[in-house]
């Protein structure tokens, strides 16, 4: 009896030592809550003639109760079991149309109530707009007639949008979409007693893979996927619906430019337990518009066999698509190196074409010296071909003449060289209604649009003419300094009438019509107001500084309203960052971002703390640069320390940041950075790490931009893992993670195990597990509580630190 009582006593003492008190949802300071819950500015969709604007409104964030609704997590998808759609979607709750010429706002009748809309698409003639509306029982398809200002439901059977919305305007009166073949209530029930264990095996085939989440794990999951992914292709035209072909698991369907054929990709069994649905075995085929088979182009295997290494690919055809400038021609790429980029060959890929009626032999169009990435088609004499290597961060764009077969390099540069990016080609509709590359000045020049426009003065977007003969880029318009303005659309290519989006630190983003030829005053077409009056009066500055090895760095410095450094002295400071890899120190040193952008707050932003008396350095550059012939990550931790020391020293030298009250934080790879800084330095008073990966051996076939496997460089994986140094983390660290994280690599177990390890060695840590949250958080109550947790942590260990 005494032994029993003693045992019970020990159990109760143990529970008292290790149990955690339950905590109710908490609220952050009012200024922070108001910023989070501010009503978002409506999204804007404008027709190409600049006659109508569709304004789409939405709420800020759903409740936790909404994101807690049941879902099936299978095949890399999260499926709503009630309506053949994905769960966790962000919906539009109101539409309005604005006539640009009159400025009048028009109300659309016939909209379902309540409205949970998505998948907006204008028809080719821009007289109608399609959208989906989701309910608990199904997804419906609606069409807005712009002339009548009326929305009408057009589907008879509920839609199936599990594998993409599948909605395509074939012409201005014809829509293709996919419908469910059975009611959701007919989904297979999970048997209490399975037929046997789940067994997987491998018989000598190499199948390296990224660590995807929500994969198929059992035969029952296979049944669920087949049930929810199977759909019926349907056509709607002039008020009538007709079925096309038979039900299948459609991955993609697209109509030929001449609207006579359909290019289809359908999923086959066996379903993979290692990769998501888009990597399942599939068949690529061509049918006519009734669904009758014309030709099977390929039967593709599962992507399980893709070799590791970012520039490696399967030794099978890939990228089947229509050529936009011909009636019905299909193009695709095929590796010439067996899919292995290190193989020494003159050309790594070839691109082929097959014309209707698809009975002849494929024709080779051209070959690429690196890995082919895609073609932007123009006309019979012009197409732009892109190729590159992710491992070397290179990109090359060439001019291809389909008539002569000539391939000529236009430019090549590092992907990380933002200063020399010439921009993207402006496109326009051809006779088929397809967007193709446009030329000006009798076909001698391209019009290129760079919506970022990085420069030594910060981001200044521009529009340029690229001479196809001299290969020189001439900027014909650029955002004025002191503002940030980019071209959202080119309304008239020859008259250079543009639709732009303009903002500044104090000017809310709005849209304007600009005429570069007539140079008349800009016409403002939206009038959005400031959703964040709480931030008026704060200061924002792009600061520049050097790290000890000479690499130039920048960051966005925010200071509180009314702050006077002489009177108020240095402030507690939060540094927020996300590391990036560079092969070039010169590219790493380039200035990114603009001090002249209007401050927009997302749930993930650190700018909330400028309202609480903190200096905030957001987007603090944390480049990891290749050095002395080594890979960037070979000196990852050392470079993190150099970056952090440089930022802290600059803030201290400016007199705005208190060196003794510094905090560091980040999300995802930024959380990984944070844990490493706390494990290897004593620079900070506290850290905040959200949804990170802390043990790189859990991502053994590569992570981020590291393509070497664990077995190639085990020491690197060990040294880059903050979990390996959990005994050294004595600086207080707040770990936050969604319990339903869906991002490859950032499994919740990362935070659980790091917390337990730090706790085991007596460190100061707190672990907040947010219910139902994925990698990107959405639940209103969770977000408010997250801000409270972060604010309490910073106040305790940074602002009020002794």
């Amino acid at each position: 009896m005494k032994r029993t009582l003693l045992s019970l006593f020990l159990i109760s003492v143990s529970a008292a030592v290790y149990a955690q008190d339950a905590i109710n949802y908490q609220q952050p300071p009012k200024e922070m809550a108001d910023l989070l819950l501010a009503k978002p500015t409506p999204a804007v969709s404008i027709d190409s003639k600049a006659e109508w604007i569709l304004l789409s409104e939405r709420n800020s964030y759903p409740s936790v109760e909404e994101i807690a609704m049941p879902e099936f997590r299978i095949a890399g998808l999260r499926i709503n079991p009630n309506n053949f759609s994905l769960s966790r979607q962000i919906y539009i709750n109101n539409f309005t149309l604005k006539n640009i010429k009159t400025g009048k706002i028009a109300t659309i009748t016939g909209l379902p109530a309540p409205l949970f809309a998505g998948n907006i698409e204008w028809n080719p003639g821009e007289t109608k707009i399609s959208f989906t509306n989701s309910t608990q029982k199904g997804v419906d398809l609606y069409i807005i007639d712009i002339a009548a200002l009326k929305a009408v439901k057009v589907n008879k059977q509920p839609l199936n949008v599990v594998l993409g919305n599948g909605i395509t305007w074939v012409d201005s009166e014809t829509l293709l979409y996919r419908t469910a073949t059975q009611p959701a209530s007919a989904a297979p029930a999970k048997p209490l007693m399975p037929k046997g264990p789940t067994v997987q095996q491998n018989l000598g085939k190499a199948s390296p893979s990224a660590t995807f989440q929500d994969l198929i794990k059992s035969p029952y999951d296979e049944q669920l996927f087949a049930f929810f992914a199977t759909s019926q292709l349907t056509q709607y035209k002039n008020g009538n619906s007709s079925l096309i072909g038979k039900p299948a698991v459609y991955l993609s369907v697209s109509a030929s430019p001449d609207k006579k054929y359909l290019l289809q990709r359908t999923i086959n069994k066996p379903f993979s337990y290692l990769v998501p649905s888009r990597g399942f075995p599939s068949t690529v085929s061509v049918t006519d518009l009734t669904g009758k088979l014309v030709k099977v182009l390929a039967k593709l295997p599962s992507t399980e066999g893709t070799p590791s290494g970012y520039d490696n690919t399967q030794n099978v055809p890939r990228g089947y698509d229509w050529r936009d400038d011909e009636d019905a021609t299909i193009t695709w790429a095929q590796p010439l190196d067996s899919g292995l980029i290190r193989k020494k060959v003159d050309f790594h890929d070839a691109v082929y074409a097959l014309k209707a009626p698809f009975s002849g032999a494929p024709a080779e169009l051209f070959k690429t010296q690196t890995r082919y990435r895609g073609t932007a088609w123009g006309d019979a004499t012009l197409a732009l071909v892109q190729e590159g290597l992710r491992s070397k961060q290179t990109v090359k764009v060439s001019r291809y003449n389909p008539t002569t077969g000539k391939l000529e390099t236009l430019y090549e540069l590092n992907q990380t060289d933002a200063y020399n990016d010439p921009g993207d080609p402006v496109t326009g509709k051809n006779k088929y209604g397809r967007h193709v590359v446009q030329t000006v000045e009798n076909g001698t020049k391209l019009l290129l649009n760079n919506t970022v426009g990085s420069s030594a003065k910060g981001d200044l977007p521009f529009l340029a003419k690229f001479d196809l003969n001299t290969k020189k880029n001439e900027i014909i318009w650029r955002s004025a300094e002191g503002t940030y303005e980019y071209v959202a659309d080119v309304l008239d290519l020859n008259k250079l009438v543009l639709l732009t989006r303009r903002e500044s630190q104090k000017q809310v983003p709005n849209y304007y019509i600009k005429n570069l030829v007539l140079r008349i005053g800009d016409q403002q077409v939206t009038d959005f107001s400031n959703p964040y009056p709480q931030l008026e009066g704060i200061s924002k500055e792009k600061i520049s500084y050097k790290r000890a090895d000479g690499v130039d760095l920048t960051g966005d410095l925010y200071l509180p309203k009314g702050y006077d450094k002489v009177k108020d002295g240095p402030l507690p400071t939060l540094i927020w960052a996300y590391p990036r890899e560079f092969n070039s120190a010169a590219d790493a040193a380039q200035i990114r971002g603009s001090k002249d952008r209007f401050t927009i707050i997302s749930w993930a932003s650190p700018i909330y703390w400028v309202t609480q008396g903190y200096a905030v350095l957001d987007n603090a550059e944390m480049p990891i640069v290749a050095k002395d012939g080594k890979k960037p990550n070979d000196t990852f931790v050392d470079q993190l320390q150099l970056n952090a020391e440089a930022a802290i020293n600059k803030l201290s030298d400016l007199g705005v940041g208190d060196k003794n009250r510094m905090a560091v934080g980040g999300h995802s790879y930024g959380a990984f950075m944070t844990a490493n800084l706390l494990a290897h330095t004593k620079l900070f008073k506290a850290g905040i790490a959200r949804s990170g990966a802390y043990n790189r051996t859990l991502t053994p076939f590569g992570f981020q931009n590291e393509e070497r496997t664990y077995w190639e460089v085990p020491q690197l994986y060990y040294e880059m893992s903050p979990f390996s140094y959990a005994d050294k983390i004595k600086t207080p660290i707040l770990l936050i993670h969604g319990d339903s994280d869906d991002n490859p690599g950032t499994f919740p177990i990362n935070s659980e195990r790091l917390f337990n390890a730090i706790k085991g060695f007596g460190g100061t840590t707190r672990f907040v597990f947010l219910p139902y949250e994925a990698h990107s958080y959405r639940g209103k109550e969770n977000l408010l509580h997250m801000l409270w947790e972060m604010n309490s942590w910073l106040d305790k260990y940074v602002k009020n630190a002794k």
Side-chain angles (χ1 to χ4, degrees):
M1 182 68 175
K2 289 182 179 180
R3 181 174 296 175
T4 302
L5 289 174
L6 179 61
S7 298
L8 290 172
F9 173 76
L10 291 174
I11 290 171
S12 66
V13 169
S14 177
V17 171
Y18 293 107
Q20 301 296 322
D21 292 333
I23 185 170
N24 294 328
Y25 281 118
Q26 302 293 313
Q27 291 280 327
K30 184 177 185 302
E31 302 95 328
M32 299 175 76
D34 288 347
L35 286 172
L36 177 76
L37 301 179
K39 187 172 178 60
T41 299
V44 171
S45 180
I46 302 178
D47 69 6
S48 64
K49 300 182 289 292
E51 293 181 0
W52 290 97
I53 304 176
L54 180 69
L55 301 171
S56 305
E57 300 176 33
R58 63 177 178 84
N59 292 325
S60 51
Y61 298 99
S63 68
V64 171
E65 184 178 15
E66 289 178 71
I67 65 172
M69 298 299 287
E71 62 185 2
F72 290 123
R73 301 177 185 179
I74 47 176
L77 305 167
R78 294 190 170 181
I79 300 171
N80 184 326
N82 299 315
N83 66 1
F84 290 94
S85 74
L86 299 181
S87 59
R88 302 170 178 266
Q89 297 188 60
I90 297 174
Y91 295 108
I92 296 162
N93 59 26
N94 191 34
F95 285 129
T96 52
L97 277 165
K98 179 180 179 180
N99 187 289
I100 293 177
K101 292 180 179 178
T102 65
K104 292 182 178 180
I105 300 290
T107 300
I108 302 168
T109 62
L111 293 175
L115 182 66
F116 293 94
N119 304 310
I120 299 169
E121 192 74 35
W122 295 73
N123 73 345
E126 297 182 329
T127 58
K128 297 178 181 180
I129 303 170
S130 63
F131 69 90
T132 57
N133 186 66
S134 298
T135 70
Q136 282 299 315
K137 295 183 178 180
V139 178
D140 294 315
L141 179 61
Y142 282 77
I143 293 178
I144 299 172
D145 186 307
I146 296 175
L149 297 173
K150 184 178 181 180
V152 177
K153 177 187 166 185
V154 300
N155 61 299
K156 295 178 180 179
Q157 295 295 323
L159 272 63
N160 184 328
V161 293
V162 166
L163 291 177
N165 69 68
I167 299 167
T168 303
W169 283 100
V170 178
D171 55 43
S172 290
E173 302 297 331
T174 308
L175 265 175
L176 294 181
Y177 57 97
R178 304 174 206 162
T179 59
T181 58
Q182 300 181 65
S185 59
K190 186 173 184 178
L192 294 177
M193 177 67 180
K195 294 180 178 179
T198 299
V199 177
Q200 300 181 56
Q201 68 176 358
N202 190 66
L203 302 176
K205 176 184 175 182
S207 300
S209 176
T211 48
F212 298 109
Q213 303 209 44
D214 300 333
L215 298 177
I216 285 178
K217 297 181 176 67
S218 69
Y220 175 64
D221 285 351
E222 294 185 56
Q223 294 176 44
L224 284 177
F225 175 74
F227 177 83
F228 282 104
T230 299
S231 63
Q232 172 66 59
L233 191 60
T234 306
Q235 176 180 278
Y236 173 83
K237 184 171 186 176
N238 297 324
N240 298 310
S241 297
S242 58
L243 305 183
I244 298 177
K246 297 180 179 180
V249 182
Y250 291 101
L251 197 54
S252 63
V253 178
S254 62
S256 59
D258 66 2
K259 304 167 183 59
K260 294 181 179 179
Y261 300 96
L262 297 176
L263 176 61
Q264 303 183 14
R265 185 176 171 194
T266 54
I267 287 176
N268 308 321
K269 292 182 178 182
F271 303 145
S272 173
Y273 284 47
L274 192 63
V275 296
S277 56
R278 292 193 173 275
F280 289 1
S282 62
T283 298
V284 182
S285 59
V286 182
T287 71
D288 63 18
L289 290 187
T290 69
K292 180 181 178 182
L293 180 65
V294 175
K295 185 178 180 64
V296 173
L297 295 170
K299 286 189 174 292
L300 302 175
S302 162
T303 59
E304 286 186 12
T306 305
S308 63
Y310 292 137
D311 295 311
N312 292 331
T313 186
Q314 283 184 292
N315 190 26
V316 297
R318 69 182 192 277
Y320 285 92
D321 202 0
W322 295 109
R323 180 171 159 176
D324 294 313
D325 62 329
E326 290 193 339
D327 290 346
T329 299
I330 294 171
T331 63
W332 67 92
Q334 179 91 28
L336 300 175
D337 53 10
S338 302
L340 303 173
I341 200 68
R342 291 184 180 179
K343 191 172 183 179
K344 295 188 180 300
V345 292
D346 293 332
F347 298 96
H348 287 274
D349 279 333
V351 174
Y352 299 90
L354 183 63
K355 295 177 180 288
F358 314 108
S359 56
E364 181 184 292
L365 300 184
F366 53 83
K367 298 175 182 177
T368 59
Q369 294 177 324
T370 54
R371 193 61 78 208
Y372 172 73
R373 291 180 175 173
T375 300
W377 297 100
D379 55 28
T381 62
L382 175 67
L384 300 180
V385 176
Q386 187 179 109
E387 59 181 288
L389 294 174
R390 178 177 172 181
S391 59
K392 295 185 178 180
Q393 298 181 334
T394 60
V395 62
K396 179 166 76 171
V397 173
S398 301
R399 175 185 183 178
Y400 171 64
N401 186 321
T403 300
T404 65
K406 182 180 179 182
L407 190 69
E408 176 188 13
T409 300
L410 293 179
Y411 62 87
E412 49 189 321
L413 68 159
N414 290 338
Q415 289 178 185
T416 54
D417 182 5
Y419 285 2
N420 290 304
D421 180 0
D424 298 317
V426 172
T427 63
K429 291 182 181 179
N430 62 8
K431 65 180 182 179
Y432 303 111
R434 316 279 283 211
H435 284 274
V436 295
V437 176
Q438 301 286 294
T439 59
V440 293
E441 298 185 20
N442 297 318
T444 62
K445 295 181 180 180
L446 300 172
L447 202 59
L448 300 184
N449 183 19
N450 192 318
T451 58
V452 178
S454 297
S455 76
K457 296 181 179 181
D459 290 351
L460 292 169
F462 62 80
L463 190 70
K465 288 182 178 179
F466 184 93
D467 193 306
L468 292 167
N469 296 316
T470 66
K471 302 176 185 177
K472 301 293 184 183
N473 213 30
E474 175 196 1
I475 294 176
I476 60 173
W477 171 86
R478 188 159 209 162
S479 175
E481 293 182 34
T483 64
Y484 182 88
E485 183 175 14
Y486 69 85
V487 177
D489 196 7
V490 177
L491 303 176
D492 190 311
L493 191 72
N494 296 311
K495 296 180 181 179
L496 291 178
V497 180
L498 315 175
L499 177 71
T500 68
R501 184 178 184 270
R502 183 192 307 160
E503 62 189 281
S504 68
Q505 280 198 28
K506 296 181 178 180
Q507 182 182 1
V508 177
N510 273 294
Y511 288 84
Y512 299 81
I513 294 177
K514 182 186 296 289
N515 192 312
L516 296 188
V517 175
L518 298 180
R519 298 192 179 277
I520 56 179
D522 295 352
Q523 177 189 356
Q524 185 171 344
V525 295
T526 60
D527 189 21
F528 300 131
S529 58
N530 183 2
Y532 312 116
Q534 307 92 325
L535 294 182
E536 291 179 358
I538 70 165
S539 69
K540 175 185 177 183
E541 178 186 3
K542 174 74 73 173
I543 62 172
S544 300
Y545 48 100
K546 282 184 183 291
R547 70 184 197 186
D549 61 356
V551 175
D552 291 316
L553 305 173
T554 62
D556 296 322
L557 175 62
Y558 295 84
L559 296 172
K561 179 180 180 179
Y563 170 68
D564 184 328
K565 69 179 179 182
V566 175
K567 181 178 69 175
D568 301 323
L571 298 172
T573 302
L574 173 60
I575 297 174
W576 200 262
Y578 189 97
R580 292 180 60 199
E581 298 90 342
F582 294 86
N583 288 331
S584 162
D587 290 353
Q590 292 181 357
I591 295 174
R592 290 168 177 82
S594 168
K595 65 178 177 59
D596 298 312
R597 299 206 68 169
F598 184 79
T599 299
I600 294 177
I601 302 287
S602 75
W603 68 267
S605 174
I607 300 171
Y608 294 99
W609 280 273
V610 78
T611 69
Q612 303 302 304
Y614 289 80
V616 176
L617 186 64
D618 193 15
N619 300 315
E621 293 285 355
M622 291 277 173
I624 308 300
V625 185
K627 289 183 171 184
D628 304 323
K630 297 181 179 180
K631 299 281 189 179
N633 283 337
D634 291 344
T635 52
F636 180 82
V637 172
D638 291 341
Q639 292 195 61
L640 278 187
Q641 182 168 347
L642 288 174
N643 294 325
E645 288 174 342
I648 292 171
N649 290 337
K650 178 64 176 182
L651 294 167
S652 178
D653 292 345
L654 289 173
V656 299
D658 186 342
K659 255 189 177 181
N660 297 314
R661 292 189 296 167
M662 291 278 168
V664 64
H667 189 85
S668 194
Y669 209 54
F672 174 69
M673 167 205 76
T674 297
N676 264 304
L677 282 169
L678 300 193
H680 297 284
T681 77
K682 302 298 180 185
L683 297 171
F684 298 98
K685 283 291 186 182
I688 298 172
R690 290 194 319 230
S691 296
Y694 310 112
N695 184 345
R696 296 283 38 143
T697 65
L698 297 177
T699 53
F701 286 103
F703 57 91
Q704 208 69 5
N705 282 310
E706 179 56 67
E707 64 175 345
R708 293 170 291 181
T709 70
Y710 165 76
W711 296 275
E712 291 176 281
V713 283
Q715 190 65 24
L716 176 80
Y717 275 66
Y718 178 87
E719 292 175 353
M720 285 186 69
S721 298
F723 181 82
S724 305
Y725 303 92
D727 59 325
K728 308 297 183 186
I729 300 178
K730 301 303 179 184
T731 301
I733 182 170
L734 174 63
L735 299 169
I736 302 175
H737 217 120
D739 71 2
S740 302
D741 196 318
D742 56 349
N743 184 56
T746 53
F747 292 88
I749 195 173
N750 279 278
S751 291
E752 295 177 66
R753 292 295 181 262
L754 183 61
F755 170 76
N756 288 336
I758 296 171
K759 179 179 176 180
F761 285 105
T764 300
T765 183
R766 181 177 174 90
F767 176 34
V768 181
F769 218 16
L770 297 176
Y772 307 110
E773 294 295 355
H775 194 62
S776 179
Y777 310 158
R778 290 186 55 217
K780 177 173 61 179
E781 296 85 355
N782 280 335
L783 294 174
L784 290 166
H785 186 85
M786 176 200 75
L787 293 176
W788 177 82
E789 290 279 3
M790 293 171 66
N791 193 59
S792 300
W793 195 259
L794 291 171
D795 280 357
K796 181 175 182 179
Y797 293 108
V798 182
K799 180 187 280 187
N800 301 319
K802 296 179 181 179

Coordinates of all heavy atoms in Angstrom, one line a residue, residues 23-24 26 28 609 688 734 736 766-768 770 783-795:
I23 N -3.5 27.2 -22.3 CA -3.6 28.7 -22.4 C -4.7 29.0 -23.4 O -4.8 28.4 -24.5 CB -2.3 29.3 -22.9 CG1 -2.3 30.8 -22.9 CG2 -1.8 28.7 -24.2 CD1 -1.0 31.5 -23.0
N24 N -5.5 30.0 -23.0 CA -6.5 30.5 -24.0 C -5.9 31.4 -25.0 O -4.8 32.0 -24.8 CB -7.7 31.2 -23.2 CG -8.4 30.2 -22.3 OD1 -8.6 29.0 -22.6 ND2 -8.9 30.7 -21.1
Q26 N -4.9 34.7 -26.7 CA -4.7 36.0 -26.1 C -4.7 37.1 -27.2 O -4.6 36.7 -28.4 CB -3.3 36.0 -25.5 CG -3.2 35.0 -24.3 CD -4.0 35.3 -23.1 OE1 -4.1 36.5 -22.7 NE2 -4.8 34.3 -22.7
P28 N -3.0 40.7 -28.8 CA -1.9 41.6 -28.7 C -2.3 43.0 -28.5 O -3.5 43.3 -28.4 CB -1.3 41.5 -30.1 CG -2.5 41.2 -31.0 CD -3.4 40.4 -30.2
W609 N 6.0 45.8 -34.8 CA 6.7 46.2 -33.6 C 7.2 47.6 -33.7 O 7.7 48.1 -32.6 CB 7.8 45.2 -33.3 CG 7.2 44.0 -32.6 CD1 6.9 43.9 -31.3 CD2 6.6 42.9 -33.3 NE1 6.3 42.7 -31.1 CE2 6.0 42.1 -32.2 CE3 6.5 42.4 -34.6 CZ2 5.4 40.9 -32.5 CZ3 5.9 41.3 -34.8 CH2 5.3 40.5 -33.8
I688 N 13.3 34.6 -32.5 CA 11.9 34.1 -32.8 C 12.1 33.3 -34.1 O 12.5 33.8 -35.1 CB 10.9 35.2 -33.0 CG1 10.7 36.0 -31.7 CG2 9.6 34.6 -33.4 CD1 9.9 37.3 -31.8
L734 N 12.0 31.6 -29.0 CA 10.6 31.3 -29.1 C 10.4 30.5 -30.4 O 10.7 31.0 -31.5 CB 9.8 32.6 -29.1 CG 8.3 32.5 -29.4 CD1 7.6 31.7 -28.3 CD2 7.6 33.8 -29.5
I736 N 7.7 28.7 -32.9 CA 6.3 28.7 -33.3 C 6.2 27.8 -34.6 O 7.0 27.9 -35.5 CB 5.8 30.1 -33.6 CG1 5.9 31.0 -32.4 CG2 4.3 30.1 -34.0 CD1 5.5 32.5 -32.6
R766 N 10.4 28.5 -25.5 CA 9.0 28.3 -25.5 C 8.5 27.8 -26.8 O 9.0 28.3 -27.9 CB 8.3 29.6 -25.1 CG 6.8 29.6 -25.0 CD 6.2 31.0 -24.5 NE 4.8 31.1 -24.5 CZ 4.0 30.8 -23.5 NH1 4.6 30.3 -22.3 NH2 2.7 30.9 -23.5
F767 N 7.6 26.8 -26.8 CA 7.1 26.3 -28.1 C 5.6 26.5 -28.2 O 4.9 26.0 -27.4 CB 7.5 24.8 -28.1 CG 7.0 24.0 -29.3 CD1 6.9 24.7 -30.6 CD2 6.6 22.7 -29.3 CE1 6.4 24.0 -31.7 CE2 6.2 22.0 -30.4 CZ 6.1 22.6 -31.6
V768 N 5.2 27.2 -29.3 CA 3.8 27.4 -29.5 C 3.4 26.6 -30.7 O 3.9 26.9 -31.8 CB 3.6 28.9 -29.7 CG1 2.1 29.2 -30.0 CG2 4.1 29.8 -28.5
L770 N 0.5 26.0 -33.2 CA -0.7 26.6 -33.6 C -1.7 25.6 -34.3 O -1.3 25.0 -35.3 CB -0.4 27.8 -34.6 CG 0.4 28.9 -34.1 CD1 0.7 29.9 -35.2 CD2 -0.4 29.6 -32.9
L783 N -3.4 34.0 -35.4 CA -2.5 35.1 -35.7 C -2.5 36.1 -34.6 O -1.4 36.6 -34.3 CB -3.0 35.7 -37.1 CG -2.9 34.8 -38.3 CD1 -3.5 35.5 -39.5 CD2 -1.4 34.5 -38.6
L784 N -3.6 36.4 -34.1 CA -3.6 37.4 -33.0 C -2.8 36.8 -31.8 O -2.0 37.6 -31.2 CB -5.0 37.7 -32.5 CG -5.9 38.5 -33.5 CD1 -7.4 38.5 -33.1 CD2 -5.4 40.0 -33.6
H785 N -3.0 35.6 -31.5 CA -2.2 34.9 -30.4 C -0.7 34.9 -30.7 O 0.1 35.1 -29.9 CB -2.7 33.5 -30.1 CG -2.1 32.9 -28.9 ND1 -2.6 33.1 -27.7 CD2 -1.0 32.1 -28.8 CE1 -1.8 32.5 -26.8 NE2 -0.8 31.9 -27.5
M786 N -0.4 34.6 -32.0 CA 1.0 34.6 -32.4 C 1.7 36.0 -32.1 O 2.8 36.0 -31.6 CB 1.1 34.3 -33.9 CG 2.5 34.3 -34.4 SD 2.6 34.5 -36.2 CE 2.1 36.2 -36.5
L787 N 1.0 37.0 -32.5 CA 1.5 38.4 -32.2 C 1.7 38.6 -30.7 O 2.6 39.2 -30.3 CB 0.6 39.4 -32.8 CG 0.5 39.5 -34.4 CD1 -0.5 40.5 -34.8 CD2 1.9 39.7 -35.0
W788 N 0.7 38.1 -29.9 CA 0.8 38.3 -28.5 C 2.0 37.5 -28.0 O 2.8 38.1 -27.1 CB -0.5 37.8 -27.8 CG -0.4 37.8 -26.3 CD1 -0.6 38.9 -25.5 CD2 0.0 36.7 -25.5 NE1 -0.4 38.5 -24.2 CE2 -0.1 37.2 -24.1 CE3 0.3 35.4 -25.7 CZ2 0.2 36.4 -23.0 CZ3 0.6 34.6 -24.6 CH2 0.5 35.1 -23.3
E789 N 2.2 36.3 -28.4 CA 3.4 35.5 -28.0 C 4.7 36.2 -28.3 O 5.6 36.3 -27.5 CB 3.4 34.1 -28.6 CG 2.3 33.2 -28.2 CD 2.6 32.5 -26.9 OE1 3.7 32.8 -26.3 OE2 1.8 31.7 -26.4
M790 N 4.8 36.7 -29.6 CA 6.0 37.3 -30.0 C 6.3 38.6 -29.3 O 7.4 38.9 -28.8 CB 6.0 37.6 -31.5 CG 6.0 36.3 -32.4 SD 5.6 36.6 -34.1 CE 7.1 37.5 -34.6
N791 N 5.2 39.4 -29.0 CA 5.3 40.6 -28.3 C 5.7 40.4 -26.9 O 6.6 41.1 -26.3 CB 4.0 41.4 -28.4 CG 4.2 42.9 -28.0 OD1 5.0 43.6 -28.6 ND2 3.5 43.3 -26.9
S792 N 5.1 39.4 -26.2 CA 5.5 39.1 -24.8 C 6.9 38.7 -24.7 O 7.6 39.1 -23.8 CB 4.5 38.1 -24.3 OG 3.2 38.5 -24.3
W793 N 7.4 37.9 -25.7 CA 8.7 37.4 -25.7 C 9.7 38.5 -25.9 O 10.7 38.6 -25.1 CB 8.9 36.4 -26.8 CG 10.1 35.5 -26.7 CD1 11.3 35.6 -27.4 CD2 10.3 34.3 -25.9 NE1 12.2 34.6 -27.1 CE2 11.6 33.8 -26.2 CE3 9.5 33.7 -24.9 CZ2 12.1 32.7 -25.5 CZ3 10.0 32.6 -24.3 CH2 11.3 32.1 -24.6
L794 N 9.5 39.4 -26.8 CA 10.4 40.5 -27.1 C 10.4 41.5 -25.9 O 11.5 42.0 -25.5 CB 10.0 41.2 -28.4 CG 10.2 40.4 -29.7 CD1 9.5 41.2 -30.8 CD2 11.6 40.2 -29.9
D795 N 9.2 41.8 -25.3 CA 9.2 42.7 -24.2 C 10.0 42.1 -23.0 O 10.8 42.8 -22.4 CB 7.8 42.9 -23.8 CG 7.1 44.0 -24.6 OD1 7.7 44.5 -25.5 OD2 5.9 44.2 -24.4

